[in-house]
C-alpha cells in the first residue's frame, strides 16, 4: 500500500502524525513537523509575512506549485498543471505517466489540489488532517459556499475510491466527520467517525 498523509492548515492538524509520504499545504510546517512534500497554490504575495516566512523557511524534499513565483525560495520547484474540476465524468484514473502529464484537478481550495496531487503521485491510502472547513476565513461553518466545497471534495474522494484510493480522516473536528471514516492507527484500517 502507498500510504500518504496530507496536512492542511485547519485545527484538526495540530497533532498530526506522520505516516507514509507526507504532503503539507501552504504553511502547514507551523505545526512543528516537517513534510516530504510542500504544495503552495497561491502566490507568495497572497500570504501574510508570518505565513510566508513559515513557508520559505520550510525545507521539503520536493516543492510543488503551478506558479513560478516560488522559484526564488524553492529553485528546484516542480510545476503542476491545474485543470478545473468539472465533475466525476471527466475524472482520469491514475496512469503510469510523469506528473507533468497528469491532470491535477483544482476547485476553490488548496486541499482539493493536494488530494488530486497525492492521487496522481500514487497514493492508495490518504489520511487527511487540517481539511476542516470549520473556521476557515471563507469556507467556515454556516458560510454559503462551504457546503458546495465540501461536496466537491466528497465527489473527488468518491472518484478516487472507485479507482482504488481510500481516504480517511486523521482527526475529528471537520466538516467530514459524518462522511469520511477515521483512520485506525492500531489496525491500519478504519473506525467509524
Amino acid at each position: 500500500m502507498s500510504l500518504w498523509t496530507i496536512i492542511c492548515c485547519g485545527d484538526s492538524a495540530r497533532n498530526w502524525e506522520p505516516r507514509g509520504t507526507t504532503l503539507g499545504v501552504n504553511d502547514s510546517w507551523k505545526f512543528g513537523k516537517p513534510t516530504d512534500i510542500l504544495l503552495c497554490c497561491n502566490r507568495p504575495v497572497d500570504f501574510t509575512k508570518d505565513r510566508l516566512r513559515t513557508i520559505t523557511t520550510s525545507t521539503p524534499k520536493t516543492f510543488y506549485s503551478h506558479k513560478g513565483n516560488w522559484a526564488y525560495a524553492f529553485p528546484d520547484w516542480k510545476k503542476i498543471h491545474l485543470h478545473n474540476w468539472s465533475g466525476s465524468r471527466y475524472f482520469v484514473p491514475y496512469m503510469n505517466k510523469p506528473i507533468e502529464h497528469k491532470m491535477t484537478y483544482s476547485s476553490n481550495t488548496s486541499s482539493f489540489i493536494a488530494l488530486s496531487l497525492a492521487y496522481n503521485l500514487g497514493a492508495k491510502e490518504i489520511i487527511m488532517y487540517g481539511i476542516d472547513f470549520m473556521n476557515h476565513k471563507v469556507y467556515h461553518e454556516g458560510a454559503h459556499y462551504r457546503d458546495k466545497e465540501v461536496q466537491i471534495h466528497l465527489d473527488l474522494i468518491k472518484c478516487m475510491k472507485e479507482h482504488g484510493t481510500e481516504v480517511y480522516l486523521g482527526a475529528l473536528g471537520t466538516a467530514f466527520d459524518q462522511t469520511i471514516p477515521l483512520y485506525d492507527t492500531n489496525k491500519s484500517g478504519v473506525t467509524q467517525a
Side-chain angles (χ1 to χ4, degrees), residues 108-127:
N108 295 309
T109 56
S110 299
S111 56
F112 189 92
I113 297 168
L115 285 165
S116 182
L117 178 62
Y119 176 84
N120 281 345
L121 291 171
K124 293 299 179 189
E125 286 186 301
I126 297 172
I127 305 168

Side-chain angles (χ1 to χ4, degrees), residues 36-53:
D36 300 312
I37 297 168
L38 188 60
L39 168 69
C40 287
C41 300
N42 297 344
R43 298 169 300 158
V45 298
D46 295 331
F47 293 96
T48 64
K49 287 181 182 177
D50 286 343
R51 293 188 76 192
L52 183 60
R53 187 178 312 107

Side-chain angles (χ1 to χ4, degrees), residues 78-186:
K78 297 196 181 290
K79 183 175 181 73
I80 55 172
H81 299 279
L82 298 182
H83 301 274
N84 287 329
W85 177 253
S86 300
S88 59
R89 68 177 177 250
Y90 299 109
F91 186 74
V92 177
Y94 175 77
M95 295 175 278
N96 292 323
K97 291 184 178 181
I99 186 66
E100 59 269 13
H101 298 299
K102 293 180 182 179
M103 292 234 207
T104 303
Y105 290 106
S106 68
S107 179
N108 295 309
T109 56
S110 299
S111 56
F112 189 92
I113 297 168
L115 285 165
S116 182
L117 178 62
Y119 176 84
N120 281 345
L121 291 171
K124 293 299 179 189
E125 286 186 301
I126 297 172
I127 305 168
M128 59 185 213
Y129 287 93
I131 306 176
D132 298 353
F133 297 115
M134 298 304 279
N135 58 6
H136 186 276
K137 65 181 181 180
V138 177
Y139 302 100
H140 54 83
E141 199 167 14
H144 174 69
Y145 297 109
R146 182 188 90 151
D147 292 343
K148 182 177 179 184
E149 190 65 16
V150 167
Q151 187 56 55
I152 290 170
H153 276 65
L154 290 172
D155 290 345
L156 176 64
I157 290 166
K158 179 182 177 199
C159 287
M160 292 193 306
K161 182 174 183 168
E162 290 170 355
H163 289 87
T165 298
E166 295 286 341
V167 177
Y168 308 103
L169 291 178
L172 297 175
T174 78
F176 300 100
D177 286 1
Q178 302 304 312
T179 54
I180 297 178
L182 187 64
Y183 188 79
D184 182 352
T185 58
N186 296 320

